[in-house]
Amino acid sequence: MKKRVFLLCAGVFLMTSAKGLADPVQWDLFDPQHQFTLSAGAACADGEKAVVLHSATASPKQFAVMRTALSTDGLQNKALRLRAELSVQDVQAGAGLWMTLYDGTKQIASRNTQKDMVRGQGVTRVQEMTLWVPPQATRAVYGVLLLGPGTVSACGVYMGPALPARKQNADQSLAVQTMTFAINSIRTQALHSSLIDWESRTPPLLELTRDGSADDLYAEIRHLLADLHDGHSFVMPPDMARRMAAQPEQMPVFTKIGSDIGRIALPSLTSHSAEGMKEFSLAGHQIFVQAAAMRGWVVDLRHDRGGNMWPMVQALRPLLGREDLGFFEDRSGKRSAPWRAVAQGSTQQNDGPDLSRVPVAVLLGPQTASAGEAVAIALKGRPNTRFFGTATHGQTSGNKSFTLPDGGMLAVAAEFELDRTGKRYEGPVQPDEVEADPDGPSGLRKRGCGSDFRTGRQEGVALTRAF
């Protein structure tokens, strides 16, 4: 097919063909910094001319894309594949493929090969990606990106339904096992599983997985979780899960305020090992043992982004006592056994000092999330306790975690969280008193606090204001 290059207003367009779609394809140059050119290049192996994106003047952070669009009519609920052979010259920052799906003007899905860009001098490589097309998608926009100076030539561009799997025993591949496990776990456990049409969604996801990359696999699982609209479920590929498990854990921190007020700050905790949980809960317990004479306490949850709630609750055992603290409730309405500040699997424990009636001020903020919010809920209904700061992040659901067949980690929001009174939390935990800047001295002046707290410490302010 004959190609034509022409200039129209401020955009450059190239008429060419693409396998998998009806001819012609009109390539559009998107060049926000006006540093790139789009042209037809030498003939490819299939006889068609390459599409060339070039710049000699762009900085390493400047970019341009050649792009085109197609209607997704007839492609909904199917796996869509973009594939091209990219050849680069003098490209250091990288070149790659990208694809975005729209519902009208609203972007609903996106994929690119940014993690595996083509770079170098005289390097040729085939890149491809696969994306599931949601039922509401109306069009796909796709193309080639060039970051920084150099030249990229695209040959054999294919855009269309994913090709049949070419691998032997594809249904038994690790990727398919992983996707199948994820689908089954989400379908049977997620609070909002009914929002997804599983009968139409499952076949294209499995087809995509049979012939897609690991990035495609995890991108589609993330898309599936996003459609639950719970704001809490997540998935981690194996390398990310390993990095998270290897991170050193922080311990609770004690600060003395004045002569008789103690502050315990709880950090995030991701460990689920018996040793890690014991170390965390014991560190909190020892703080109270060594400061048992304090007349009041501040529990600072503002930097507790979540993880494992049980060692956090156990760390506060002297403040929480042996009371029932809350419940989980699944989507059928069935409640769990009550939460208690008891170390998992332990039969005999030292309660430490009994501080269950001591005044407590709890500090909340937008970084209080997930397990940190569960700790806040466990403190709701405790006598002589008030909450200060700003609303929490809003991940007030119980996640169930699964190890995927390929070593990744899947967490599914599977349970509602209820406090000891039976109140269900769906969204942020709200403070009793809102203070946008609890660290600032203005908060002190507003509350009319005396000279004991002239340092601007919100902990003393909260205790004074609360009781």
Side-chain angles (χ1 to χ4, degrees):
M1 176 183 176
K2 185 177 180 180
K3 281 75 174 179
R4 296 182 290 117
V5 181
F6 59 97
L7 185 65
L8 178 62
C9 298
V12 174
F13 298 91
L14 178 66
M15 302 294 291
T16 182
S17 62
K19 298 176 182 178
L21 302 172
D23 291 335
V25 172
Q26 178 175 285
W27 294 106
D28 167 23
L29 174 64
F30 176 71
D31 177 16
Q33 296 90 18
H34 306 289
Q35 299 292 323
F36 296 79
T37 61
L38 176 66
S39 63
C44 301
D46 59 6
E48 298 287 346
K49 287 189 176 181
V51 186
V52 180
L53 195 54
H54 168 78
S55 177
T57 58
S59 73
K61 292 186 178 180
Q62 291 178 323
F63 74 95
V65 298
M66 63 176 231
R67 63 187 181 183
T68 191
L70 79 152
S71 169
T72 54
D73 288 347
L75 294 171
Q76 289 91 349
N77 280 320
K78 294 181 181 178
L80 193 61
R81 160 126 336 145
L82 173 60
R83 183 181 186 274
E85 180 183 272
L86 302 184
S87 299
V88 298
Q89 292 287 339
D90 301 318
V91 172
Q92 298 303 316
L97 301 179
W98 64 275
M99 174 171 33
T100 303
L101 300 178
Y102 290 89
D103 175 7
T105 59
K106 179 183 178 183
Q107 180 178 319
I108 56 175
S110 184
R111 188 70 45 80
N112 61 58
T113 59
Q114 192 169 0
K115 291 183 179 179
D116 188 30
M117 300 280 269
V118 184
R119 301 179 177 88
Q121 171 72 33
V123 176
T124 298
R125 208 167 79 219
V126 173
Q127 284 205 322
E128 61 183 11
M129 67 176 75
T130 310
L131 186 62
W132 175 76
V133 182
Q136 70 271 30
T138 57
R139 65 189 174 104
V141 181
Y142 65 95
V144 178
L145 174 143
L146 177 59
L147 182 62
T151 302
V152 57
S153 301
C155 285
V157 179
Y158 172 88
M159 179 62 162
L163 301 174
R166 297 183 296 272
K167 301 175 184 177
Q168 292 183 348
N169 300 320
D171 286 339
Q172 301 303 318
S173 70
L174 186 58
V176 171
Q177 292 177 43
T178 299
M179 178 60 84
T180 301
F181 186 99
I183 289 172
N184 290 340
S185 299
I186 298 167
R187 185 172 186 172
T188 59
Q189 299 293 330
L191 281 172
H192 306 305
S193 170
S194 61
L195 294 177
I196 295 174
D197 181 354
W198 294 102
E199 297 306 316
S200 65
R201 191 77 174 264
T202 299
L205 286 178
L206 294 177
E207 180 59 34
L208 179 152
T209 305
R210 291 185 185 100
D211 203 34
S213 67
D215 285 344
D216 292 334
L217 166 66
Y218 277 89
E220 290 303 333
I221 295 176
R222 282 191 288 270
H223 192 179
L224 199 59
L225 295 174
D227 287 346
L228 296 171
H229 300 289
D230 60 46
H232 200 182
S233 301
F234 65 92
V235 68
M236 289 186 181
D239 57 342
M240 186 181 295
R242 286 191 293 268
R243 287 197 301 271
M244 186 188 75
Q247 289 180 348
E249 300 287 4
Q250 294 180 307
M251 295 293 117
V253 175
F254 170 72
T255 306
K256 192 174 181 180
I257 306 168
S259 60
D260 54 5
I261 296 174
R263 169 182 174 269
I264 182 170
L266 295 187
S268 307
L269 176 73
T270 59
S271 176
H272 283 74
S273 71
E275 182 179 352
M277 292 190 293
K278 181 178 180 180
E279 182 183 10
F280 188 96
S281 59
L282 184 59
H285 192 266
Q286 287 301 313
I287 286 173
F288 293 109
V289 170
Q290 295 169 9
M294 298 294 102
R295 71 174 179 88
W297 282 88
V298 173
V299 177
D300 191 348
L301 301 177
R302 291 174 301 164
H303 301 289
D304 187 344
R305 298 180 177 88
N308 186 348
M309 67 173 281
W310 300 114
M312 300 176 191
V313 172
Q314 172 61 17
L316 300 179
R317 183 177 174 85
L319 295 179
L320 293 170
R322 294 177 171 270
E323 304 295 324
D324 293 349
L325 308 176
F327 309 87
F328 290 118
E329 184 179 88
D330 66 20
R331 64 192 189 190
S332 71
K334 181 180 179 181
R335 288 189 181 181
S336 69
W339 304 349
R340 289 177 180 162
V342 178
Q344 302 299 293
S346 179
T347 55
Q348 293 184 344
Q349 297 182 64
N350 179 6
D351 289 345
D354 181 5
L355 306 176
S356 58
R357 297 285 173 176
V358 169
V360 168
V362 183
L363 302 184
L364 305 176
Q367 294 186 56
T368 310
S370 189
E373 290 170 297
V375 176
I377 291 171
L379 285 157
K380 286 287 185 178
R382 180 189 180 277
N384 297 325
T385 303
R386 285 183 67 78
F387 293 73
F388 299 85
T390 55
T392 63
H393 189 70
Q395 294 176 323
T396 48
S397 54
N399 272 356
K400 286 189 177 180
S401 297
F402 305 90
T403 299
L404 296 172
D406 67 352
M409 189 186 80
L410 173 68
V412 179
E415 297 169 307
F416 296 108
E417 293 178 342
L418 289 69
D419 66 22
R420 66 185 75 191
T421 70
K423 177 184 175 181
R424 178 193 287 183
Y425 290 78
E426 296 184 58
V429 179
Q430 301 292 340
D432 296 313
E433 302 227 6
V434 176
E435 177 55 68
D437 183 19
D439 288 311
S442 62
L444 294 176
R445 291 194 296 270
K446 184 170 69 175
R447 293 185 177 99
C449 295
S451 60
D452 286 348
F453 307 111
R454 284 176 298 181
T455 59
R457 287 191 176 274
Q458 73 280 19
E459 297 90 344
V461 175
L463 231 11
T464 299
R465 178 65 170 163
F467 311 109

